[in-house]
C-alpha cells in the first residue's frame, strides 16, 4: 500500500525542569491520499506535537527520540532544513487554532495568502489573487473580491478562520493539518468553518490530520479517528465503528461526557437575586445590556446562554457593580443593591462572589494556595493563624483536593485544580450567590465534567445559588434549572430548562440549538442540506 | 542561615556575580584599613605605571591609584545605590498608584512626569545644581527625582497590564483596599521587570554622576569616585598609559556583577510565573 504519510514508532521528548519528558510514545499512523484522520485527546495528549511532527517540525525544547516520518517516500527526520521548508506550506499546510493570533495584524489578508505561493514560485501575485478570490467564494466569505484587501482585525473570527483554511489551500497541498480550527469559535460560526473545511478536503481530494478535543466535531469530518492520551495511543478505528462501539473505557468516557443531565425540580425557595429592566452600556449611545429582567432563587442555577458579544459577561458586570446600570434595579435578598461597587457594604460583597473563565489569570501567580484561600477568611471573618490554616484545609477537602496543595503556587496546579481553587476562594466567604462566567470553557471535557459535578454537589450541600454564564448547551443541560437566552444584549427567550429544550423555539434559539454538534457522523451533512438559502448554499450544489 | 540557603539555590553565574559585588563591597568597607595612603594624598610623580609601592600606579596629580579606587568604591556605590533606591521608591509608588486609581490622579502625575522628561536630564540637573549649589545630599535628591520619572513610566505601564487581570478584579470585588491591591496583588507581579530595570538604572546613574563630576557639579574633588577618575585620567590614553582603564574596569566589574545577579533573579521569578 502506498501511503502519503507514514509515521512509524515516533517518540518525541520535551525538556521540562532539567529532565526529558516523553510527549509522544511510539506512535504510528498512516494516511492515504484524500483520507481524513482525526486526532483526539485532552490537553497534554500530544495531538499538536504529532501534528507538527507530520511537517518534520518540533517545538523548541523538544527532540525526536526515535521512529520515522515518511512523507511521499521521503524521510523527514534528519532531512535538510531547505527541503523541509520547500515542503511546508507548499505540499503540507497547517491551520492553527486561533486565526486572530496567527495572522500578522499589520498586513492585508491577501498579502499573507500570496506570500507562500509566490515565495515557492508557484504563481505570481496576480494569479494568487485570483486563486484567493475563487477560494473565498467557495468558502462563502462575503464580498470575495474585496475581503482580501482587509486587515485581519476588520473581519470576524469565523471569517478569518475560513480565510486561513483558504490560505492553507493556496498551493494545493497534499496534506493539511488542522489544529483545533474551530475550538475558539461560537457554535453557529463553527458550522460555517466546518463546512469550509469539508469543502476544502473534497475539492482537491486532500488528505488531512484533524486535531481536536471534541469528539462530536471530529466525527463530522474524519474517516478514521485516533484517540490519544498522555502521548500514547488509546484506540484507533473507523469513525462509525469507534462511535458506535468504543473498545476502551477512556473512549467511552469521552463519548458520554456531554450527556450529563440535571434532574428537574419545580421552582421554589426564596428569591436571592431579582434583576428588573436592567440597561447598561459603556458608551452613552450604545447599550450592551438592554431591559434584562430575571430572578434567581435560593439553591438554584440560572444559566445565561448566548454567543460571544451577546452581553452575557456585561450582565455579570452589571450585577457585580463594575458596570452600573443606567436604568433598572437589582434586588439582592429583597434589598435594593447599590448600583456601584463603591457603595456596597462588605456584607454584600461577601454574599455575592464570582468565578472566572480563565483560572490562569484569575489566580495571582505570586500567591500560594494558602494565601489565596486564607485571605477571604481573614478579610471577611477575621480568622487568622492556626484556625485559618485549618479552615483552608477544610476548603481544600470540600473541593476534593489533598491538604498537600496548601503550600503550592498556582503554576504547580493543573487547569482543573486551578479552577477548583477559584471555586474554593468564592466559597470561603460563604456566599448566597456565585456568578460563574464560562467556568468550564477553558477546560478539557472530562475535567469540565468534574467541575460541573463539584458545583452541583456544593449546591446540594450548601444551598448556594449560581448564575451560570455559558455558550455551551451541554453544560446548560447538565447544571441549569432555568435558562435565559441572550442575543445582542437582550433576552430573546427565558424559562425553565425543560421548557427551553423542548420545541417550539424562538428562531434564534432554534438556530443555536441545532448548531451544537452531535455524536453522529451524518449530522453536519443533514444540517447543511436542511439549510436552504442560507450562507452555506454551496453544499446544495452536490 | 537564610543567606546560605539562598546561595545554595543560585546558579553559577549568580554566584560569580555575588562574588564580584561582594569584593567591591568589601573593598569599600575596608578602604581605610587596606589603603596604603590617604584618599587625597599626593605621593609620587604623575601617571606612574604600576610597580613597586604603587600597585596600580599614580593618577594625574600623583596620587596612589589603588588607594583612590578603594575610596572611590565607597563613594560611588553608596551614592549610586541610594539614588537608585530613592528613584524606585518614588517612581514605583507613583506609577502603581496612577495605574490603580486612574482618572485625575493618573493625569496629574503623568503630566508632571512629562514636564520633567521634556527637559534633557543633564541640563536640568546642571541648572538646579548651579542654583542650589552642589552638595552630596542635593545631588542625591536631584538625580533620584529625575530618574524616578523613568521608573514611574515603567511601573505604570507594567501595572496597567496587571490591573486588567482577573485576579485583581476578584480582589476588587472582595472589597480589598487600594493599598492591598497595589502591594499584594500588583507589585509582586511587576517585580521581575522592576528588578531588571534596577540593575540597568544603577549603571546609568553611576555614569550620570561621573558626567556631572566631569562638569564640576558632581562629587567634588578631592573626593574620589570612579566616574570622575576615568574622566580626569582620560588624557593618559593618548600617551599609552593605562591608568584610566583601572577605574573603568572597576565600573564594568561591578556592573557585570550586578547584572549577573539580576539575570538569575529574573530567571527564578519567571519560573514561578510560567504555567
Amino acid at each position: 500500500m502506498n501511503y502519503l504519510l507514514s509515521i512509524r514508532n515516533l517518540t518525541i521528548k520535551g525538556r521540562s525542569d532539567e529532565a526529558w519528558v516523553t510527549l509522544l510514545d511510539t506512535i504510528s499512523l498512516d494516511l492515504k491520499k484524500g483520507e481524513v484522520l482525526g486526532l483526539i485527546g485532552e490537553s497534554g495528549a500530544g495531538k499538536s506535537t504529532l501534528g507538527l511532527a507530520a511537517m518534520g517540525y518540533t517545538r523548541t525544547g523538544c527532540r525526536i527520540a526515535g521512529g520515522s516520518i515518511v512523507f511521499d517516500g521521503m524521510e523527514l527526520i534528519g532531512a535538510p532544513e531547505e527541503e523541509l521548508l520547500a515542503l511546508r506550506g507548499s505540499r503540507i499546510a497547517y491551520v492553527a487554532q486561533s486565526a486572530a493570533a496567527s495572522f500578522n495584524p499589520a498586513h492585508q489578508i491577501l498579502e499573507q495568502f500570496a506570500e507562500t505561493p509566490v515565495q515557492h514560485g508557484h504563481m505570481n501575485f496576480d494569479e494568487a489573487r485570483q486563486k484567493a478570490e475563487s477560494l473565498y467564494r467557495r468558502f462563502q466569505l462575503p464580498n470575495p473580491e474585496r475581503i482580501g484587501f482587509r486587515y485581519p482585525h476588520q473581519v470576524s473570527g469565523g471569517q478569518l478562520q475560513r480565510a486561513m483554511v483558504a490560505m492553507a489551500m493556496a498551493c494545493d497541498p497534499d496534506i493539511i493539518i488542522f489544529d483545533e480550527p474551530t475550538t475558539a469559535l461560537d457554535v453557529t460560526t463553527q458550522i460555517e468553518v466546518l463546512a469550509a473545511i469539508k469543502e476544502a478536503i473534497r475539492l482537491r481530494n486532500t488528505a488531512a490530520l484533524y486535531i481536536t478535543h471534541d469528539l462530536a466535531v471530529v466525527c463530522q469530518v474524519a474517516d478514521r479517528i485516533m484517540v490519544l492520551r498522555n502521548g500514547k495511543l488509546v484506540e484507533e478505528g473507523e469513525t462509525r465503528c469507534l462511535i458506535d462501539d468504543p473498545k476502551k473505557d477512556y473512549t467511552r468516557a469521552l463519548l458520554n461526557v456531554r450527556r450529563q443531565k440535571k434532574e428537574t425540580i419545580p421552582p421554589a425557595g426564596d428569591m436571592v437575586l431579582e434583576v428588573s429592566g436592567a440597561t447598561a452600556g459603556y458608551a452613552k449611545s450604545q447599550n450592551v445590556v438592554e431591559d434584562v429582567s430575571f430572578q434567581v432563587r435560593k439553591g438554584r442555577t440560572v444559566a445565561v446562554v448566548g454567543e460571544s458579544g451577546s452581553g452575557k459577561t456585561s450582565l455579570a458586570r452589571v450585577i457585580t457593580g463594575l458596570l452600573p446600570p443606567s436604568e433598572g434595579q437589582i434586588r439582592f435578598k429583597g434589598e435594593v443593591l447599590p448600583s456601584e461597587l463603591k457603595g456596597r457594604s462588605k456584607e454584600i460583597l461577601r454574599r455575592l462572589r464570582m468565578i472566572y473563565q480563565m483560572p490562569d489569570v484569575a489566580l495571582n501567580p505570586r500567591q500560594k494556595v494558602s494565601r489565596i484561600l486564607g485571605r477571604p477568611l481573614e478579610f471577611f471573618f477575621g480568622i487568622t493563624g492556626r484556625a485559618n490554616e485549618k479552615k483552608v484545609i477544610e476548603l481544600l477537602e470540600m473541593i476534593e483536593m489533598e491538604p498537600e496543595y496548601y503550600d503550592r503556587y498556582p503554576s504547580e496546579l493543573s487547569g482543573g485544580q486551578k479552577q477548583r481553587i477559584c471555586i474554593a476562594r468564592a466559597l470561603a466567604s460563604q456566599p448566597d450567590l456565585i456568578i460563574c462566567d464560562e467556568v468550564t470553557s477553558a477546560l478539557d471535557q472530562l475535567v469540565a465534567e468534574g467541575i460541573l459535578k463539584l458545583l452541583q454537589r456544593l449546591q446540594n450541600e450548601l444551598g448556594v445559588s449560581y448564575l451560570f454564564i455559558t455558550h455551551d448547551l451541554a453544560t446548560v443541560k447538565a447544571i441549569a434549572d432555568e435558562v435565559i437566552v441572550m442575543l445582542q444584549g437582550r433576552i430573546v427567550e427565558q424559562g425553565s430548562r425543560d421548557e427551553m429544550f423542548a420545541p417550539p423555539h424562538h428562531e434564534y434559539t432554534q438556530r443555536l440549538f441545532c448548531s451544537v454538534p452531535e455524536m453522529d457522523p451524518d449530522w453536519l451533512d443533514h444540517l447543511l442540506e436542511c439549510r436552504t438559502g442560507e450562507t452555506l448554499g454551496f453544499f446544495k450544489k452536490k | 542561615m537564610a543567606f546560605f540557603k539562598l546561595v545554595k539555590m543560585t546558579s553559577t553565574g549568580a554566584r560569580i556575580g555575588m562574588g564580584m559585588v561582594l569584593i567591591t563591597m568589601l573593598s569599600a568597607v575596608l578602604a581605610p584599613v587596606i589603603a596604603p595612603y590617604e584618599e587625597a594624598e599626593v605621593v609620587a610623580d604623575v601617571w606612574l605605571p604600576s610597580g613597586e609601592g604603587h600597585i596600580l600606579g599614580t593618577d594625574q596629580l600623583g596620587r596612589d591609584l589603588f588607594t583612590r579606587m578603594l575610596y572611590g568604591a565607597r563613594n560611588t556605590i553608596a551614592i549610586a545605590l541610594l539614588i537608585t533606591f530613592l528613584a524606585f521608591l518614588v517612581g514605583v509608588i507613583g506609577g502603581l498608584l496612577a495605574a490603580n486609581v486612574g482618572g485625575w490622579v493618573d493625569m496629574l502625575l503623568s503630566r508632571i512626569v512629562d514636564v520633567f522628561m521634556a527637559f534633557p536630564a543633564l541640563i536640568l540637573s546642571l541648572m538646579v545644581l548651579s542654583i542650589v549649589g552642589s552638595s552630596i545630599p542635593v545631588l542625591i535628591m536631584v538625580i533620584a527625582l529625575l530618574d524616578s520619572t523613568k521608573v514611574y513610566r515603567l511601573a505604570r505601564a507594567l501595572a496597567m497590564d496587571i490591573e486588567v487581570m482577573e485576579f485583581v478584579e476578584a480582589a476588587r470585588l472582595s472589597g480589598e483596599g487600594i493599598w492591598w491591591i497595589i502591594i499584594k496583588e500588583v507589585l509582586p507581579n511587576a517585580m521581575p521587570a522592576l528588578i531588571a530595570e534596577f540593575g540597568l538604572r544603577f549603571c546609568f546613574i553611576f555614569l550620570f554622576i561621573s558626567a556631572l563630576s566631569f562638569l564640576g557639579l558632581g562629587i567634588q574633588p578631592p573626593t574620589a569616585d570612579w566616574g570622575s577618575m576615568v574622566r580626569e585620567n582620560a588624557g593618559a590614553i593618548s600617551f599609552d598609559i593605562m591608568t584610566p582603564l583601572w577605574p573603568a574596569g572597576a565600573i564594568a566589574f561591578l556592573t557585570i556583577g550586578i547584572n549577573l545577579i539580576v539575570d538569575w533573579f529574573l530567571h527564578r521569578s519567571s519560573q514561578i510565573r510560567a504555567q
Side-chain angles (χ1 to χ4, degrees), chain A residues 273 294 296 302 304 319 433-436 465-469:
Chain A
L273 183 78
F294 65 94
V296 184
V302 174
V304 181
I319 296 166
L433 176 71
I434 300 180
I435 299 174
C436 306
S465 313
Y466 298 129
L467 181 66
F468 205 96
I469 295 170

Side-chain angles (χ1 to χ4, degrees), chain A residues 287-304:
Chain A
N287 286 328
V288 285
V289 174
E290 216 165 347
D291 195 21
V292 168
S293 307
F294 65 94
Q295 288 118 16
V296 184
R297 289 173 188 276
K298 183 174 162 51
R300 290 309 161 87
T301 304
V302 174
V304 181

